[in-house]
């Protein structure tokens, strides 16, 4: 099949890119390996998830949220929004298409994308002038290799497979990772009566969603350094010194850290209060080894657990199928060009949803990619 643009991935970035291209009447096809769009939101999000960012930072092009939508949406409302978006703009991804390879054919200056139809088992070939990688930052769940992990008799799962703490009542559960997912899962486990411990390796800023909302709004007009100073000061007033509880702040400000490393500040949902009250234990460092139910930590502490939840992030899977990834990506599957031109590669290769700015970043990328493709096509027609 031939088309002008092939988009790989039907998450928010892929959906938004298709809509933006359609606004310019540019033919495009979305290939999605799952049987549904936005699978991260529909299949891999835990039950109590609530968007930490205000609604104006969680909307896609040409469809802002209504006035009746709360500032901070629960997962269900955002999923409903995505459903309405797909319906309103009549987006029809090709589901159950797992892209196996994608190469640039120098002989005809087109991208050749081979995808397996996992329903029929057939291999489908797509040729396009432009290719957009929209598989997002959250590709494959990352579970680090730990000595002796194969001996652990309890349940081991990645945060993407975690749904609720209701099955962990009275169990000793270790959550590995002190980012937003890890801290919120700790809160959920504790609420369901699990004996909860969180393992935190690196310092993280802890703030409230209201403070982050203020900071993100100010960033439109004020330099990052000034916003970081304000946000950090407000966090210190709200929480005081949390180091005695094992929660340490980075030296760099929260927004500067996000831009340079991709690590977002922790938006507290009530976890800090439970840590202060001794309901959630904090261990700093990493896991040294596992021997059956007994985990030995790098600080020498030994403790038994019934389950381990790895909230250790994701790794990009782009380089597994994009053979000519170097036109836009580094080996780690993230853009090689720094923002704000991270979305544009060589040979008409683009990426959307890799800016580490969440839904807002995906929306910005989609508009930039579509406008650039329109500009190139307009030049060719002349």
């Amino acid at each position: 099949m031939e088309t002008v643009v092939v988009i790989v991935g039907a998450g928010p970035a892929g959906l938004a890119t298709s809509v933006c291209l359609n606004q310019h009447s540019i033919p495009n096809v979305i290939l999605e390996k799952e049987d549904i769009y936005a699978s991260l939101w529909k299949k891999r999000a835990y039950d109590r998830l609530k968007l930490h960012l205000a609604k104006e930072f969680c909307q896609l092009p040409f469809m802002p949220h209504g006035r009746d939508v709360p500032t901070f949406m629960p997962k269900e409302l955002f999923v409903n929004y995505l459903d309405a978006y797909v319906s309103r703009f009549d987006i029809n991804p090709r589901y159950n298409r797992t892209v196996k390879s994608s190469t640039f054919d120098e002989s005809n200056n087109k991208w050749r994308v081979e995808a397996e139809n996992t329903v029929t088992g057939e291999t489908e070939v797509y040729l396009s002038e432009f290719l957009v990688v929209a598989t997002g930052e959250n590709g494959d769940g990352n579970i680090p290799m730990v000595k002796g992990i194969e001996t652990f008799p309890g349940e081991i799962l990645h945060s993407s497979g975690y749904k609720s703490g209701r099955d962990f009542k009275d169990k000793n559960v270790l959550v590995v990772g002190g980012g937003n997912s890890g801290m919120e899962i700790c809160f959920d486990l504790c609420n369901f009566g699990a004996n909860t411990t969180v393992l935190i390796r690196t310092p993280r800023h802890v703030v409230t969603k209201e403070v982050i909302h203020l900071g993100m709004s100010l960033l439109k007009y004020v330099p990052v350094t000034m916003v970081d100073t304000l946000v950090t000061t407000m966090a210190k007033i709200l929480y005081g010194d949390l180091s005695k509880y094992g929660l340490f702040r980075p030296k760099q400000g929260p927004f500067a850290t996000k831009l340079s490393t991709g690590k977002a500040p922790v938006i507290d949902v009530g976890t800090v209060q439970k840590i202060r009250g001794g309901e959630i234990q904090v261990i700093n460092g990493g896991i040294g080894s596992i021997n059956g139910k007994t985990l030995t930590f790098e600080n020498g502490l030994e403790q038994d657990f019934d389950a381990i939840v790895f909230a250790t992030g994701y790794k990009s899977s782009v380089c597994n199928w994009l053979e000519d990834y170097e036109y836009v990506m580094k080996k780690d599957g993230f853009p090689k060009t720094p923002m704000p031109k991270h979305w544009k590669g060589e040979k008409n290769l683009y990426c959307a949803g890799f800016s580490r700015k969440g839904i807002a970043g995906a929306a910005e990328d989609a508009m930039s990619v579509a406008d650039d493709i329109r500009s190139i096509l307009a030049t060719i027609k002349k």
Side-chain angles (χ1 to χ4, degrees):
M1 175 184 177
E2 286 202 36
T3 187
V4 178
V5 185
V6 166
I7 302 167
V8 181
L15 299 176
T17 301
S18 180
V19 168
C20 291
L21 289 169
N22 290 339
Q23 296 296 310
H24 299 308
S25 300
I26 300 173
N28 61 90
V29 171
I30 304 177
L31 303 179
E32 169 57 48
K33 68 178 181 179
E34 301 286 348
D35 59 358
I36 197 167
Y37 55 87
S39 61
L40 179 66
W41 292 93
K42 287 175 169 280
K43 289 185 175 183
R44 293 191 283 165
Y46 41 90
D47 293 347
R48 76 171 309 277
L49 177 65
K50 190 171 185 178
L51 276 69
H52 294 144
L53 302 183
K55 64 182 182 181
E56 63 262 35
F57 300 107
C58 299
Q59 58 192 20
L60 299 179
F62 309 108
M63 191 170 142
H65 294 292
R67 292 183 178 180
D68 57 333
V69 176
T71 301
F72 299 99
M73 294 178 287
K75 177 189 70 173
E76 290 74 17
L77 266 185
F78 185 67
V79 169
N80 290 342
Y81 168 80
L82 292 176
D83 289 341
Y85 193 77
V86 169
S87 176
R88 176 176 175 178
F89 294 106
D90 192 26
I91 312 171
N92 295 291
R94 295 192 171 209
Y95 299 113
N96 302 300
R97 264 65 171 197
T98 299
V99 176
K100 295 297 185 180
S101 70
S102 184
T103 56
F104 184 73
D105 189 341
E106 296 280 359
S107 65
N108 59 10
N109 288 326
K110 289 189 176 181
W111 285 92
R112 177 186 172 90
V113 180
E114 293 188 10
E116 179 189 357
N117 184 324
T118 54
V119 174
T120 66
E122 298 176 330
T123 297
E124 301 172 349
V125 177
Y126 297 84
L127 298 177
S128 63
E129 297 173 53
F130 303 87
L131 177 62
V132 181
V133 179
T135 49
E137 302 162 357
N138 300 332
D140 298 326
N142 177 44
I143 295 182
M145 293 299 296
V146 180
K147 181 181 178 182
I149 193 170
E150 70 282 355
T151 70
F152 187 74
E155 185 174 1
I156 295 177
L157 70 159
H158 185 264
S159 57
S160 60
Y162 177 89
K163 293 298 180 184
S164 170
R166 62 175 57 91
D167 296 328
F168 297 94
K169 180 177 172 58
D170 296 325
K171 292 184 177 181
N172 298 324
V173 185
L174 175 68
V175 178
V176 182
N180 277 297
S181 293
M183 296 293 264
E184 189 157 353
I185 288 171
C186 283
F187 182 78
D188 189 59
L189 284 165
C190 190
N191 282 343
F192 278 102
N195 303 314
T196 309
T197 300
V198 60
L199 183 66
I200 302 176
R201 178 181 287 274
T202 57
R204 289 287 185 114
H205 287 280
V206 179
V207 294
T208 65
K209 61 181 184 292
E210 292 81 9
V211 170
I212 283 295
H213 185 193
L214 173 63
M216 292 184 71
S217 299
L218 288 174
L219 280 174
K220 300 174 185 177
Y221 317 102
V222 181
V224 171
T225 51
M226 292 180 66
V227 175
D228 273 344
T229 299
L230 174 64
V231 169
T232 303
T233 301
M234 293 178 73
K236 288 178 180 178
I237 294 172
L238 288 168
Y239 292 105
D241 182 11
L242 294 176
S243 61
K244 57 186 174 183
Y245 302 104
L247 302 176
F248 299 91
R249 290 190 182 94
K251 292 181 180 179
Q252 191 178 39
F255 288 107
T257 299
K258 173 66 174 172
L259 289 171
S260 62
T261 69
K263 291 184 178 180
V266 171
I267 300 177
D268 181 37
V269 296
T271 312
V272 171
Q273 183 177 349
K274 290 186 178 294
I275 291 173
R276 278 175 165 159
E279 296 177 75
I280 296 175
Q281 179 187 2
V282 176
I283 298 176
N284 295 119
I287 303 173
S289 64
I290 300 175
N291 184 11
K293 293 181 66 173
T294 304
L295 274 67
T296 302
F297 297 96
E298 291 176 346
N299 62 6
L301 177 68
E302 291 187 355
Q303 198 164 321
D304 289 352
F305 291 94
D306 302 305
I308 306 173
V309 180
F310 282 95
T312 42
Y314 296 81
K315 52 187 176 182
S316 172
S317 58
V318 173
C319 298
N320 295 341
W321 56 267
L322 184 59
E323 296 181 32
D324 295 321
Y325 68 84
E326 70 276 1
Y327 290 134
V328 73
M329 298 289 193
K330 299 176 292 184
K331 287 184 178 180
D332 63 359
F334 283 89
K336 67 178 185 180
T337 302
M339 289 189 291
K341 289 292 186 178
H342 58 280
W343 49 268
K344 184 174 175 63
E346 304 169 58
K347 307 293 185 182
N348 291 340
L349 177 63
Y350 300 84
C351 63
F354 289 85
S355 66
R356 291 172 169 161
K357 292 171 62 179
I359 302 298
E364 292 171 3
D365 289 352
M367 290 187 287
S368 297
V369 168
D371 287 346
D372 197 69
I373 292 175
R374 177 186 59 83
S375 177
I376 292 172
L377 290 173
T379 302
I380 293 174
K381 288 180 181 178
K382 290 181 180 178

